Amino acid sequence: MGISDAIGRQHASDTREQITPQFDFDYIVIGSGFGGSVAAHSLTEKGFRVAVMEMGRRWTPEKFPDTNWKIWRYIWRPRIALRGFFNISFFRHVLILHGCAVGGGSITYANTLLVPKDTVWDNGSWAGLADWKSEMPGHYQTAMQMLGVVENRILGPADYLLKAAADSHGVGHTFYRTNVAVFQPPAGEPGGRTYPDPYFGGAGPERTTCIGCGGCMVGCRYNAKNSLDKNYLYFAEKHGARIFDETRVVDVRPLHNNSDGSAGYEVCTVKSTSFSGHPHRRFTCRGVVFAASALGTMDLLFRLKEKGSLPAISDQLGNRVRTNAESLIGVRVPGVREDLSKGIAIGSGIYLDEHTHIEATRYPAGSDAMALMGTLLTGGRPGWTRILLWLATLAGSLLRHPVRTVRALQPFGWARESLILLCMQTLDGHIDMRLRRPWYWPFRKVLVSTGRRVPTFIPQANEFARKAAALTGGIPLSMVTEILFNIPGTAHVLGGCPMGDSPATGVVDQRNRVFGYENMYVCDGSVLSANLGVNPSLTICAIAERAMSFDFGCPIAR
C-alpha cells in the first residue's frame, strides 16, 4: 500500500468519525435467551459495544425456589407480583410454556441439546435458501462446545422405565441417552463437588458436579447446569457487554428520519417489574437484534409495525407458527418404591417411528404444581364427544379403583411417582398469530392464534403411554386442556418470523436480516421454519452462530 493510499484511508477514517453519530451502543440485543446470548457474545468478540435488554430477572443458584409450589419465585407474572422465571401463555390453539430471565429459557429448560435430522432443512420456508446441510454442522459444533454438551451418564429410574416400555413396544433398539448441558461428575465420583472452570481453560466460572436431583426445570440450585449465564452471557459481559435486567423494550424506531435504519435506531425501555411501567429510558444504537423468543419478538414487532415505528416489517409476520407437533402425556404409579424424579430432567429418549420421538421427563421431588394440569388419558375425536368419553373414563376408574384413581389425580407426590412423556414429531403443521383485541378483554390488543387447529393428541404416543402404564401398574395421563378445550401444550413454540427470499415470503432472509431495514436481525426461535422433532435450543444457538459468522463491518470509531 502506497503513502497516498494510506493518507486517503486516514482521511476517510477522519471524515467518518466526523459524520458518524455517537451512539450509546453499537448494537442492542433484545432478549438474552439462546439466540440473544449468542448474538451478544459474538458481537462483543467482533469489538462492538453491546447492550442486552432482558425483561426477566437475574438469578443465581441460591435464589432459585426449592419447589415450584412457591409460585411467587417460580411464575413470571410481574403485574400480579409473581417475579419468577417460568411463564404459561394461553391461546385458542395452544398452551405455551416458556421462560423469562437473564439467560432466557436456559434457566428453566431441561438442558437437552439434540441435532435434528437433516430432513428438517428440506421442509418449511428456509428450504433452498442456503446449503444448510453442509453449513450447519460446524455451527452446531461451536454451540455444543460453548454449552458444554455431553452424553448423559446419570440415568434415573424413569429412564429405565422408558427403556422397559420401549422394549415391550418393540422399539427398544431406538433407546438413547440424551445430550445434555450439565457438568457431570467423573466416573465413580459422587456429585456435588466444586471444581475450577472445566470448559474454557479456567477463564469461566467455577462449577459443581450434578447430583441428579431432577431439578433442572425449576432452576439448578447446585451450579451444575450449563445455563447461558455460565457461558455465552458470561463472556459477553466479561468482554464489555452490559446487561439491563428487568427491562422491557417498548419502542424501536429509526433515527434522523432515515426510514431504513441506516442512521441507527432509538430504543425505548421501561422497567418490567414496575406496576406503573416507569421510568422510561432511551438508548441509541447502530443496529438491533431481536431475540425476545418467538412469542416476545412477534408481539414486539407487531406493535412496532402497527404504531408506525417499523412499518416496513413484512406482512408475513406471525405466519407459520409451529408447536414442534408436541404432546405432553405421562404415567403415574401411585406408591412406586423408586423415586422417579431422580436423574437429569430429560435423560433419555426413544423413537416410535421416523417422525415420532418421545423423551422421559421429570421434575424434582416436591415440585408437584404441574400435576394440576393433568388428568386421565382419554382417546376419541376432539370435541364434546371426547369430553363425554373423558367423564365416562373418570367415572369408570373411580368406580373400579377409587383409591388408586384419587391418588393418581391428587397433586402431592406427583413428581416422585410420575414418568412424564414428551412427544415431538417432525410432521409439518402450523398456526398463525395476530395482534387483536380479544372479545373477553377489548381494552388492549394481545397476541391471538388463528388458523386450523393443531392436533391435540398423537395416537401412537397415547398407545405407548397405555402400554407403559400396564407395564408399571400405573395410570396413563394427559393434559386437561387437550380434553376439555382441544388445546395441546408445548414448551417449544417456533416460527412467526419465517425466513424467505423476499418480504413476500418471509420476515428475514437466510442470514437473519430483517427485510426493509439496515443492521436489524432476528435471532431466536421465531426464525425456525420447520418442526424439528427434537428440543430446539441447540438449533436456535446454531442458527444464531451462523447469522453472527458473517461480516458486520468494523466497529464504529469512537
Side-chain angles (χ1 to χ4, degrees):
M1 181 176 66
I3 294 177
S4 59
D5 291 331
I7 294 173
R9 290 195 178 191
Q10 182 61 49
H11 175 72
S13 176
D14 292 342
T15 302
R16 185 173 64 249
E17 287 191 23
Q18 292 170 9
I19 67 174
T20 299
Q22 294 301 299
F23 301 118
D24 295 320
F25 298 98
D26 296 327
Y27 281 89
I28 288 180
V29 180
I30 303 172
S32 63
F34 291 98
S37 294
V38 170
H41 174 254
S42 296
L43 290 169
T44 55
E45 280 197 321
K46 293 176 185 290
F48 293 109
R49 297 172 301 157
V50 176
V52 179
M53 305 298 173
E54 170 54 54
M55 185 166 61
R57 299 171 62 194
R58 190 186 290 266
W59 292 84
T60 55
E62 62 273 8
K63 293 181 180 179
F64 287 122
D66 55 357
T67 169
N68 59 9
W69 285 114
K70 294 181 178 179
I71 61 171
W72 59 94
R73 292 171 61 191
Y74 181 58
I75 301 294
W76 172 258
R77 275 286 189 274
R79 291 188 177 182
I80 56 175
L82 302 179
R83 298 177 179 177
F85 48 85
F86 177 74
N87 207 348
I88 305 176
S89 296
F90 297 87
F91 296 90
R92 180 170 173 262
H93 294 75
V94 64
L95 180 150
I96 297 173
L97 315 175
H98 51 111
C100 184
V102 173
S106 75
I107 300 301
T108 188
Y109 86 137
N111 33 255
T112 303
L113 296 154
L114 304 177
V115 178
K117 295 180 179 179
D118 272 354
T119 53
V120 301
W121 307 111
D122 301 325
N123 302 310
S125 62
W126 56 18
L129 295 180
D131 188 3
W132 301 107
K133 294 179 183 179
S134 65
E135 291 184 39
M136 290 307 297
H139 298 301
Y140 275 112
Q141 188 60 38
T142 299
M144 291 171 72
Q145 289 175 350
M146 284 295 297
L147 295 169
V149 177
V150 295
E151 184 180 75
N152 175 37
R153 298 194 304 271
I154 307 174
L155 293 183
D159 301 300
Y160 294 113
L161 275 183
L162 178 67
K163 177 63 166 66
D167 288 337
S168 68
H169 201 73
V171 293
H173 63 283
T174 69
F175 178 86
Y176 68 92
R177 299 167 182 252
T178 52
N179 287 337
V180 294
V182 176
F183 182 37
Q184 299 181 87
E189 283 191 16
R193 294 184 179 179
T194 300
Y195 293 84
D197 164 51
Y199 295 107
F200 306 105
E206 67 178 19
R207 311 305 310 286
T208 301
T209 53
C210 178
I211 63 172
C213 69
C216 314
M217 293 192 290
V218 188
C220 179
R221 299 168 60 226
Y222 302 97
N223 198 32
K225 183 179 184 179
N226 297 342
S227 49
L228 294 166
D229 54 321
K230 306 291 197 305
N231 38 71
Y232 280 109
L233 283 180
Y234 178 86
F235 286 107
E237 281 195 286
K238 192 171 183 178
H239 296 149
R242 289 186 61 189
I243 297 178
F244 295 81
D245 60 339
E246 300 182 40
T247 299
R248 181 165 63 92
V249 173
V250 293
D251 200 11
V252 177
R253 61 176 62 240
L255 288 169
H256 309 304
N257 296 317
N258 287 51
S259 60
D260 63 354
S262 56
Y265 298 91
E266 175 187 72
V267 177
C268 295
T269 70
V270 296
K271 188 172 177 61
S272 63
T273 51
S274 168
F275 291 108
S276 64
H278 295 287
H280 286 261
R281 297 187 67 181
R282 174 186 176 275
F283 303 89
T284 59
C285 60
R286 170 188 174 185
V288 178
V289 179
F290 289 88
S293 81
L295 284 184
T297 291
M298 274 191 290
D299 184 89
L300 181 55
L301 288 179
F302 267 124
R303 296 183 189 281
L304 298 179
K305 179 179 174 68
E306 185 174 89
K307 73 194 294 187
S309 295
L310 297 176
I313 295 292
S314 167
D315 290 336
Q316 292 296 310
L317 178 64
N319 289 351
R320 299 188 290 279
V321 177
R322 293 172 167 84
T323 65
N324 217 16
E326 289 187 8
S327 178
L328 290 166
I329 51 181
V331 176
R332 184 164 183 179
V333 190
V336 65
R337 292 183 178 180
E338 294 183 292
D339 185 350
L340 300 184
S341 71
K342 296 300 183 184
I344 302 292
I346 295 180
S348 61
I350 61 168
Y351 283 87
L352 295 183
D353 55 47
E354 63 176 325
H355 299 295
T356 310
H357 173 215
I358 288 181
E359 295 173 337
T361 310
R362 75 216 77 197
Y363 281 85
S367 289
D368 304 321
M370 298 298 288
L372 299 175
M373 300 176 65
T375 189
L376 298 184
L377 184 71
T378 306
R381 297 173 62 84
W384 65 270
T385 57
R386 192 180 187 200
I387 297 175
L388 293 179
L389 181 58
W390 168 70
L391 290 172
T393 301
L394 181 60
S397 184
L398 285 168
L399 287 173
R400 292 192 304 271
H401 311 288
V403 175
R404 186 161 165 263
T405 302
V406 170
R407 284 199 63 186
L409 295 179
Q410 63 86 25
F412 301 105
W414 171 82
R416 187 185 180 280
E417 298 177 342
S418 294
L419 166 62
I420 308 166
L421 301 172
L422 171 58
C423 180
M424 295 169 279
Q425 290 190 308
T426 56
L427 300 176
D428 200 22
H430 65 266
I431 58 178
D432 296 326
M433 291 284 188
R434 297 291 182 262
L435 194 68
R436 294 176 180 169
R437 298 183 191 276
W439 62 268
Y440 56 85
W441 189 254
F443 309 105
R444 183 174 184 268
K445 288 187 175 183
V446 297
L447 275 185
V448 298
S449 60
T450 66
R452 298 180 60 183
R453 286 193 175 274
V454 179
T456 51
F457 69 97
I458 301 171
Q460 56 267 54
N462 284 17
E463 181 60 24
F464 181 81
R466 289 192 182 93
K467 289 187 176 180
L471 180 70
T472 60
I475 295 178
L477 304 174
S478 66
M479 290 183 64
V480 68
T481 58
E482 290 190 4
I483 296 168
L484 296 185
F485 308 111
N486 193 25
I487 297 175
T490 181
H492 303 139
V493 63
L494 312 172
C497 294
M499 288 187 179
D501 56 9
S502 72
T505 59
V507 175
V508 301
D509 68 7
Q510 54 94 8
R511 288 171 53 177
N512 296 54
R513 298 175 298 189
V514 177
F515 288 117
Y517 293 95
E518 297 289 327
N519 300 317
M520 183 179 288
Y521 299 79
V522 177
C523 289
D524 57 25
S526 66
V527 303
L528 300 193
S529 301
N531 279 330
L532 303 180
V534 297
N535 313 64
S537 304
L538 182 61
T539 298
I540 296 171
C541 280
I543 286 287
E545 284 280 5
R546 179 181 181 275
M548 294 295 113
S549 70
F550 295 101
D551 183 23
F552 277 62
C554 296
I556 296 172
R558 51 186 180 272

